[in-house]
């Protein structure tokens, strides 16, 4: 076996990268600075050596450096990731479900699953780590993102990334930053003050990067305060590489590069999906800029160094991914199921409608192809396990994006989990037939769905008229109507008062059917909590009026000059989601953090204290009901002086047997308590009295206390 200088024992990733860069020719370096989307697309053929996925950069064999094979991403190895007919991948539940678990260990476990599958399929970079704050509840990609809260998003994204990278696969974090909607995604200019951004969207990234140390950061398609994210010197050089001393590389989104010199000087290291751009900026134009001295060799070497450093840091070069390693997918399906179970949120359960008794005579299951499987979100993140049902979806960037149902049938699982004599299924297309069967059934379980996809925002928050009519009608003939939602975000529920039980199952992935049935019959005690607010209607939103998703381009690679429009996020500023609802004194349909259980929890003895400059909340939580269950202890902080509405400052998931109590201590995140002062470029905690309270959701405080904090500031 050849031995390479970087193989010496005890070298840091930086040293290893330097040794390789020193040996590389400029052609080799440039081959890593831009690449096409590595699938045959229009007149771009499949690059030789590429598996056929989002990106490929050739091996440098003489230096022992493997090719970079990049695929999507957070929810499993995606369809674009070389999953061919006959190949398979596990579909995780959507990121919203993961966040709803409020369980960082679970995020790590599911991240490991993604990393393991990627590695066994020959990929060494996963375009994962969606960490955008959900500012726009109608956003088409909300199912790929975690939550509206920076602390929850940062912690969950960080652990997921850490899990992926533990498998010798680099994970990105994306889409940096303030990339909250798909409508006009390449021309939308997110306007948000620095102070608000640091306390919200950037804080989520900052925490996730600290925890997960992702090898790469992907800026979004959008503009931020007038500059495209991919050439935004404030975001890339000042904040990311400056304040946060980020050592990895910055890769553009696919077809999101707009310049050579400007982008490099702003901090972009790689032009991804270059065939979707108007020019291959990081090839000839950059070489020319180098010759003319506009860009220096130090720039180029630094860019390549950052890539290699990240690959070395997670072992992607030392433990190369190889395609075709056999995997135990059944174990992975169980992990996906566990994730879905932990993320299902019980929204309503009047008169203990749920869990269902095992023995019922006749159950009617309706809608959303529940006889076949569970819905998945569309776009680059979509995972298509074997035997998925694929219906017509949309086409973007010249690529067909089908509407996929993962093959995990709720109907079959309901039959398995219960002992009902008869379980029937109706699509719901014929109202008359469905009503007739409903009359003969003990219980009616309606699956309601809303499909979301990359490149396409939801038009409003309503379910389809047909589904709402179906639910309303069934409620007129039956008292036991249970609705299971499979949606990629918040939806409105106009029939809520008439339905005794509602479950939010998100897009629950490869183990989704079994997870839903487990909750329905009580094998699983629901413990998910909403990671997003459910508004009562669109009028409650900071930007109630939506630009028609079909009216403006969402696609990269289309000349965009002159079409830029501004999204004024300064309206809510850092007060995203539940914070906005408190500030504007509006009552949502369901608040952030909300979720019911089949048991009850009680809370006692909240104590607040400071130790070594950190603030802690200690309390006792008791399972005072009759079933084993998990609770999410949530601690919020609000300054008495009203500088900002309440913010989630700490959380912990605890599992308790009936009658069991646990005393837990939670450390509050100081950056959540502070405000960012742009003039001084520092975090500042104002002196004063703060309410610190434990709550069962953002609107329902239970134990409250106060603490006087002295003024303090900190920086990077
Ligand atoms: C998406 C990215 C994705 C990339 C490669 C883009 O359209 O915005 O999230 O990683 O494609 O598939």
């Amino acid at each position: 076996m050849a031995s390479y200088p970087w193989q010496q024992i005890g070298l840091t990733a930086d040293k290893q990268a330097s040794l390789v860069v020193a040996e590389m020719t400029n052609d080799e370096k440039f081959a890593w600075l831009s690449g096409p989307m590595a699938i045959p697309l229009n007149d771009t053929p499949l690059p030789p050596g590429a598996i056929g996925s989002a990106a490929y950069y050739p091996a440098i064999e003489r230096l022992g450096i493997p090719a970079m094979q990049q695929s999507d991403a957070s929810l499993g190895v995606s369809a674009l990731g070389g999953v061919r007919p006959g190949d398979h991948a596990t579909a995780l539940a959507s990121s919203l479900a993961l966040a709803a678990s409020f369980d960082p260990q679970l995020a790590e476990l599911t991240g490991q699953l993604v990393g393991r599958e990627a590695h066994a399929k020959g990929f060494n970079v996963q375009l994962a780590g969606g960490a955008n704050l959900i500012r726009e509840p109608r956003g088409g990609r909300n199912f790929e993102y975690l939550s509206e809260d920076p602390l929850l998003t940062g912690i969950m994204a960080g652990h997921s990334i850490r899990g992926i990278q533990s498998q010798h696969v680099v994970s990105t974090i994306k889409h940096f930053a303030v990339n909250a909607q798909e409508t006009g995604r390449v021309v939308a200019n997110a306007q948000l003050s620095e102070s608000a951004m640091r306390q919200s969207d950037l804080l989520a990234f900052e925490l996730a990067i600290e925890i997960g140390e992702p090898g790469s950061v992907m800026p979004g398609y959008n503009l931020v305060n007038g500059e495209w994210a991919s050439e935004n010197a404030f975001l890339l050089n000042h904040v990311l590489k400056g304040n946060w001393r980020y050592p990895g590389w910055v890769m553009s989104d696919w077809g999101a590069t707009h310049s050579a010199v400007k982008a490099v000087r702003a901090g972009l290291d790689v032009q991804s999906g270059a065939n979707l751009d108007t020019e291959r900026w990081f090839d000839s134009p950059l070489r020319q800029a180098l010759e003319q001295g506009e860009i220096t060799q130090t720039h180029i070497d630094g860019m390549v160094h950052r890539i290699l450093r990240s690959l070395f840091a997670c072992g992607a070069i030392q433990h190369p991914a190889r395609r075709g390693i056999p995997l135990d997918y059944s174990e992975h399906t169980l992990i996906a199921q566990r994730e879905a179970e932990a993320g299902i949120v019980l929204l309503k359960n009047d008169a203990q409608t749920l869990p269902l008794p095992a023995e019922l005579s006749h159950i009617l299951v309706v809608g959303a192809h529940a006889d076949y499987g569970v819905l998945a979100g569309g776009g680059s993140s979509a995972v298509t396990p074997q035997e998925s049902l694929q219906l017509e979806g949309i086409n973007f960037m010249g690529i067909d994006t089908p509407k996929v149902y993962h093959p995990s049938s709720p109907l079959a699982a309901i039959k398995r989990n219960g002992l009902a004599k008869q379980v029937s299924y109706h699509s719901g297309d014929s109202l008359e037939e469905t009503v007739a069967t409903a009359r003969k059934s003990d219980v009616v379980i309606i699956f309601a769905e809303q499909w979301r996809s990359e490149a396409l925002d939801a038009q409003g928050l309503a379910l389809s008229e047909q589904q709402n009519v179906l639910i309303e009608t069934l409620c007129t003939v039956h008292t036991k109507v249970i609705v299971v939602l499979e949606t990629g975000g918040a939806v409105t529920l106009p029939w809520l008062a008439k339905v005794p039980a509602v479950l939010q199952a998100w897009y629950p992935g490869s183990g989704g059917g079994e997870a839903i049935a487990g909750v329905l019959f009580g094998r699983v005690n629901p413990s998910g909590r909403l990671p997003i607010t459910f508004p009562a209607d669109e009028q409650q939103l900071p930007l109630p009026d939506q630009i028609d998703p079909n009216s403006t381009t969402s696609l990269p690679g289309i000349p965009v000059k002159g079409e830029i429009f501004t999204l004024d996020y300064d309206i809510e500023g850092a007060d995203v989601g539940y914070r906005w609802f408190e500030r504007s004194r509006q009552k949502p349909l369901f608040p952030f953090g909300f979720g019911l259980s089949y048991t009850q929890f009680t809370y006692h003895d909240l104590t607040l204290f400071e130790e070594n400059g950190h603030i802690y909340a200690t309390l006792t939580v008791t399972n005072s009901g009759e079933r084993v269950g998990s609770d999410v202890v949530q601690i919020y902080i609000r300054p008495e002086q009203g500088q900002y509405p309440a913010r989630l400052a700490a959380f912990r998931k605890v599992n308790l047997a009936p009658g069991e109590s646990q005393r837990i201590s939670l450390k509050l995140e100081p950056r959540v308590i502070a405000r960012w002062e742009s003039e001084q470029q520092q975090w500042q905690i104002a002196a004063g009295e703060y309410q610190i309270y434990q709550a069962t959701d953002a609107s329902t405080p239970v134990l409250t206390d106060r603490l006087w904090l002295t003024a303090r500031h900190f920086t990077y």
Side-chain angles (χ1 to χ4, degrees):
M1 197 182 115
S3 83
Y4 305 101
W6 58 259
Q7 285 176 321
Q8 293 162 63
I9 308 286
L11 299 180
T12 61
D14 268 313
K15 185 69 195 159
Q16 289 174 305
S18 302
L19 289 171
V20 177
V21 173
E23 297 292 321
M24 285 171 81
T25 64
N26 253 0
D27 282 345
E28 284 166 339
K29 291 173 192 166
F30 273 97
W32 272 35
L33 295 185
S34 70
M37 188 155 203
I39 52 167
L41 187 65
N42 304 326
D43 47 9
T44 314
L46 182 70
I51 293 174
S53 64
Y56 163 81
Y57 299 86
I60 312 164
E61 275 161 22
R62 65 184 189 88
L63 302 176
I65 306 298
M68 248 198 299
Q69 307 267 9
Q70 306 183 349
S71 86
D72 291 280
S74 315
L75 313 177
V77 182
S78 88
L80 269 184
V83 179
R84 307 279 175 264
D87 200 354
H88 182 69
T90 307
L92 289 173
S94 64
S95 298
L96 282 171
L98 180 63
S101 78
F102 279 73
D103 183 351
Q105 273 67 45
L106 187 63
E108 204 150 326
L109 194 72
T110 52
Q112 287 163 7
L113 178 155
V114 174
R116 221 166 16 243
E117 290 197 10
H119 199 261
K121 291 175 188 302
F123 296 108
N124 49 16
V125 178
Q126 280 298 101
L127 309 170
N132 288 106
L133 276 204
I134 297 179
R135 277 182 181 270
E136 170 50 83
R138 294 157 292 202
R141 297 184 86 169
N142 288 359
F143 69 93
E144 285 186 60
Y145 301 139
L146 291 148
S147 86
E148 64 191 25
D149 178 75
L151 183 74
L152 179 60
T153 300
I155 290 178
M156 298 302 283
H159 283 270
S160 168
I161 291 164
R162 189 192 276 177
I164 294 175
Q165 296 202 150
S166 71
Q167 304 303 307
H168 310 306
V169 173
V170 165
S171 174
T172 60
I173 187 167
K174 67 188 185 183
H175 307 91
F176 191 61
V178 208
N179 184 196
Q181 73 169 45
E182 294 302 284
T183 303
R185 63 175 167 162
V186 293
V187 286
N189 173 33
Q191 181 185 300
L192 184 60
S193 76
E194 176 183 347
S195 172
M197 205 188 304
R198 296 259 194 182
Q199 295 173 68
S200 54
D201 297 62
L202 291 184
L203 181 54
F205 277 92
E206 185 179 351
L207 293 166
I209 290 172
E210 276 171 20
I211 296 166
E213 302 182 8
S216 184
V217 170
M218 187 193 298
Y221 282 121
N222 56 310
L223 300 90
V224 178
N225 293 329
E227 298 281 6
W228 265 296
S230 60
E231 53 184 44
N232 193 308
F234 168 75
L235 285 180
L236 305 182
N237 269 347
H238 181 66
V239 176
L240 179 69
K241 294 181 174 178
N243 295 153
W244 302 348
R245 288 181 281 281
Y246 177 69
W249 87 97
V250 179
M251 62 162 84
S252 76
D253 201 340
W254 273 234
T257 306
H258 301 274
S259 59
V261 174
K262 181 173 180 189
V264 167
R265 287 194 181 155
L268 184 68
D269 299 307
V270 168
Q271 178 189 13
S272 316
N275 55 324
L276 303 173
D277 281 319
T278 47
E279 277 220 49
R280 193 155 169 173
W281 295 106
F282 279 31
D283 196 10
S284 307
L286 195 57
R287 285 176 192 260
Q288 223 171 21
L290 179 64
E291 274 162 30
Q292 290 164 2
E294 287 176 284
I295 289 293
T296 63
Q297 188 65 42
T298 315
H299 273 123
I300 303 295
D301 290 355
M303 291 149 79
V304 180
H305 178 101
R306 284 173 172 275
I307 307 172
L308 286 163
R309 188 217 167 269
S310 288
L311 290 168
F312 277 119
C314 74
I317 293 176
Q318 305 89 317
H319 307 274
R322 273 202 310 276
R323 189 165 174 73
I325 307 290
L327 276 176
D328 182 357
Y329 285 106
S330 59
E331 195 191 318
H332 282 191
T333 308
L334 282 176
I335 295 174
Q337 180 186 322
R338 214 174 118 194
E339 180 202 10
E341 289 172 354
I344 289 176
V345 183
L346 179 61
L347 291 175
K348 183 171 180 189
N349 193 21
D350 278 2
Q352 298 187 348
T353 303
L354 295 176
L356 293 171
E359 288 184 60
L360 290 165
S361 267
H362 188 171
I363 300 177
L364 171 61
V365 174
V366 184
H369 299 280
D371 55 336
Y372 194 88
V374 287
L375 185 61
S380 55
S381 70
V383 182
T384 316
Q386 266 177 17
E387 292 167 33
S388 293
L389 176 65
Q390 300 193 42
L391 305 180
E392 196 191 328
I394 56 165
N395 178 295
F396 72 95
M397 287 151 65
I399 303 164
D400 278 328
T401 297
K403 183 178 178 190
V404 170
Y405 289 82
H406 293 141
S408 177
S409 159
L411 180 70
I414 286 168
K415 287 181 181 165
R416 274 197 302 273
N417 277 262
L419 300 168
K421 290 196 194 72
Q422 202 186 341
V423 183
S424 331
Y425 175 77
H426 274 293
S427 66
D429 291 346
S430 160
L431 202 52
E432 211 174 304
E433 282 172 24
T434 314
V435 165
T437 316
R439 286 187 200 277
K440 293 183 285 186
S441 309
D442 301 316
V443 58
V444 180
I445 306 172
I446 307 177
F447 285 77
E449 61 168 40
Q450 189 205 42
W451 190 58
R452 297 213 187 174
S453 174
E454 177 176 345
L456 187 67
D457 287 329
Q459 302 211 16
L461 292 172
L463 294 168
S464 70
E465 179 69 12
Q466 192 209 356
Q467 295 184 96
N468 281 336
V469 168
L470 178 71
I471 297 169
E472 295 270 2
T473 312
L474 287 170
C475 286
T476 61
V477 297
H478 213 293
T479 51
K480 279 219 157 120
V481 173
I482 296 160
V483 177
V484 179
L485 297 167
E486 290 176 10
T487 68
V491 284
T492 50
L493 312 177
W495 31 258
L496 186 62
K498 299 173 196 159
V499 170
V502 182
L503 282 187
Q504 173 53 266
W506 315 107
Y507 300 144
S510 283
E514 194 59 45
I516 291 168
V519 172
L520 289 172
F521 288 99
R523 178 181 57 74
V524 175
N525 188 351
S527 62
R529 302 288 185 264
L530 290 180
I532 46 174
T533 306
F534 273 42
D537 60 48
E538 290 87 351
Q539 290 315 307
Q540 294 186 323
L541 302 177
L543 289 172
D545 300 324
Q546 199 179 4
I547 303 162
D548 176 0
N550 297 313
S551 70
T552 169
T553 174
S554 294
L555 304 180
I558 294 174
V560 289
K561 295 256 146 50
E563 301 171 29
I564 290 159
F565 64 88
T566 290
L567 293 165
D568 185 2
Y569 294 132
D570 279 323
I571 296 174
E572 76 271 28
D575 299 333
V576 182
Y578 64 93
R579 303 174 178 183
W580 165 255
F581 277 79
E582 180 178 325
R583 190 173 109 188
S584 58
R585 296 200 168 80
Q586 303 184 91
K587 193 173 168 337
L589 183 61
F590 291 109
F592 172 88
F594 178 81
L596 303 171
S597 165
Y598 296 153
T599 188
Q600 293 87 43
F601 298 97
T602 45
Y603 311 90
H604 319 266
D605 303 326
L606 174 67
T607 320
L608 308 176
F609 64 97
E610 274 195 78
E611 204 174 86
N612 300 330
H614 288 292
I615 297 149
Y616 294 84
T618 303
L619 74 155
T620 304
V621 52
T622 303
N623 180 348
S624 44
E626 275 155 25
R627 279 171 183 263
V628 178
S630 294
D631 186 34
V632 177
V633 177
Q634 304 168 41
I635 303 289
Y636 294 82
I637 186 161
R638 178 196 288 128
E640 288 282 10
Q641 301 305 317
Q643 294 95 323
Y644 54 76
R647 295 173 170 182
L648 182 71
F651 63 87
R652 173 92 48 83
K653 190 154 198 176
V654 281
N655 186 264
L656 297 169
E660 190 185 349
S661 290
Q662 208 175 309
R663 184 124 185 104
I664 55 169
S665 250
L666 297 105
K667 183 168 150 190
L668 278 61
E669 168 53 51
R671 284 162 289 189
V672 168
I673 306 172
R675 285 167 60 85
W676 176 265
E677 299 300 341
S678 302
E679 292 254 309
Q680 292 97 328
Q681 290 284 296
Q682 65 186 19
W683 293 102
Q684 179 90 45
I685 296 182
E689 188 125 84
Y690 288 74
Q691 281 175 29
I692 298 177
Y693 60 88
Q694 172 268 327
T696 49
D697 59 58
S699 312
T700 315
V702 181
L703 302 176
T704 307
D705 204 348
R706 286 179 170 70
L707 194 65
W708 174 271
L709 299 181
T710 47
R712 67 199 79 174
H713 59 84
F714 46 94
T715 181
Y716 294 103

